[in-house]
Amino acid sequence: MNQIRKLLASLTLRQKLTLLAVAALVVGLLVALTHWRRERDFRPLYTGLAPEDAGAVVERLRSRGVDYRLAENGAAVLVPSARVAELRLEMAASGLPRSGRIGFELFDRTNFGASDFTEQVNYRRALEGELERSVMALSEVEQARVHISFPKESVFLDARQPGKASVLVKLRQGARLSAANVQAICHLVAAAVEGLTPEAVAVVDMRGNLLNRARRYGSPEAEDSSEATLELRQRLEKDLLAKINSTLEPLVGPDKFRAGVSVECDLSSSEQNEEILDPARSVMLSSQKTEDISSSGLAQGIPGTASNLPRPTSRPAGATGGLTRRTENITYQASRTVRRTKLPQGAIKRISIAVLLDQEVRWEGSGAQARRVLEPPPPERLKAIRDLVAAATGFDAARGDQLIIESLPFDSTLKTPPPEGPAPPPRPTPTPGWPPWLQALAARRILWAAVGALLLIAVALGLVLRRRGRKPTAKVEMAPELPAGEEQASTQGASQEAAENFQARLAEQAARKQQLEAEALNALKLPPVKTKKTEILTKHLAETVKKDPATTAQILRSWLYETER
């Protein structure tokens, strides 16, 4: 401690303040790190909760003494990661969360004092809550609201009211409900409510878009709906147009035709009854026969008492009489055929099809004189296309269908540029600053060969001149000074002799060069290259020597002088 006190006493005020600031900074960093590690350990317990569910979950966590955090404006509850699974099981056992609306658990507690109206309202609330949970079980739906209006029964037909329902859905990010999904929601709600039809269910999204069309089933308004007619017509036209495109694209190409279809539909439904009687095919239905026989005797004997005594006297025989009647009743009926035909909705009344074919383009001439010639398809090709389109679309002339096929040039065909002529051969690019003969050599790719030949000639010429210059130097004797005229004459003679020797050497080198080239070509078995680069260089040097022998001799002297040095 004494050492620490001495150390602190030896520090200046500025050093003490700096030490305190560093200590405070370290403590603050440790606290922030501890807080960050603690906050990072929180994991979502539930997300996307309704306000009432979030409140119930928070109250449950607070009563348990669990540390929690709220996120997403109260829609998400965060808890320590080590207790996420445990708390979820506890919440599920407590029936939390309840997905926004209370279901049939509303009747878990018995209320003896509730009226019939209260029971009806609670039943509707419970049914709506259960339907909301079922709709929210779909992967595309995030939240849902369901409202039900029960049907009203009455003994009077005019007082009866059908049931209705409306479903409000909130979709997840990037999700979309297809027509089949919307229809499934309608049937789900209708199947859960007695007396409710799927046509009486309306599905709306959060943006106010009606996802289905609520209609009255079997009503004339639904049958004659112009919107339904337009939808059916568009679907039929799209189907027929797809058939035409799939048929003609492999034949003429995707950009060589255009097709259009118009369909007239009949959405009225009717029922037709037909009864046919055939008299030629009559049958016996019933047969009845009756027969009546009656007999009667006439009075005989003597009138009076004697005839009425118990033992009358014998009576003479007399004639007897009777009545017989027979009746037969047969019932026949002709053969009868009864047909009942129900015509469905959406029958096609007439189809109109138009197909426009492009024409082929052909060019006559070339360049500026090229002329465009349009060639329409031949009649045989048009007839084949007409038959194919008629077979693919179910064309029926008796029904009044129309099929028109025409051939006209498209705008893209009329704007087709003429074909370009053959490109001229590329010209060699001249090198600036070089003479024409060097440009020709460069164009033929023999420039380096010419440069090599010049170097060989220059080296050979230098060696020859060096040898000739060394031999007389050994026998040189100082001659007396000559007059000016004799010195000039001797200089000219030496110049002419040197020029003649130089020309001879050049000719010899050129001949040797030609011989070497010929031997190399024969060895490679290639055709001889007819170039005269050596002759051109030789002639050029020879002309230069002839024009100015004095300058040439002076150049040779300078070379010899440099060699001796």
Side-chain angles (χ1 to χ4, degrees), residues 106-113:
L106 185 64
F107 296 96
D108 292 343
R109 293 174 295 179
T110 304
N111 187 3
F112 294 101

Side-chain angles (χ1 to χ4, degrees), residues 268-321:
S268 61
S269 62
S270 60
E271 186 175 353
Q272 182 180 359
N273 297 328
E274 184 179 3
E275 184 176 356
I276 301 175
L277 299 177
D278 188 4
R281 299 175 58 186
S282 60
V283 296
M284 183 177 64
L285 295 181
S286 63
S287 177
Q288 184 179 6
K289 294 181 181 181
T290 60
E291 184 177 357
D292 296 336
I293 301 175
S294 62
S295 61
S296 61
L298 297 176
Q300 297 179 359
I302 300 172
T305 305
S307 300
N308 295 323
L309 291 177
R311 293 182 179 180
T313 59
S314 59
R315 301 172 182 176
T320 60

Side-chain angles (χ1 to χ4, degrees), residues 3 59 89 124 150 173 271 338 357 401 449 456 473 483 550:
Q3 294 180 357
E59 184 65 25
L89 293 177
R124 185 172 65 179
F150 290 109
Q173 187 70 23
E271 186 175 353
V338 180
L357 300 175
D401 296 350
L456 289 176
T473 52

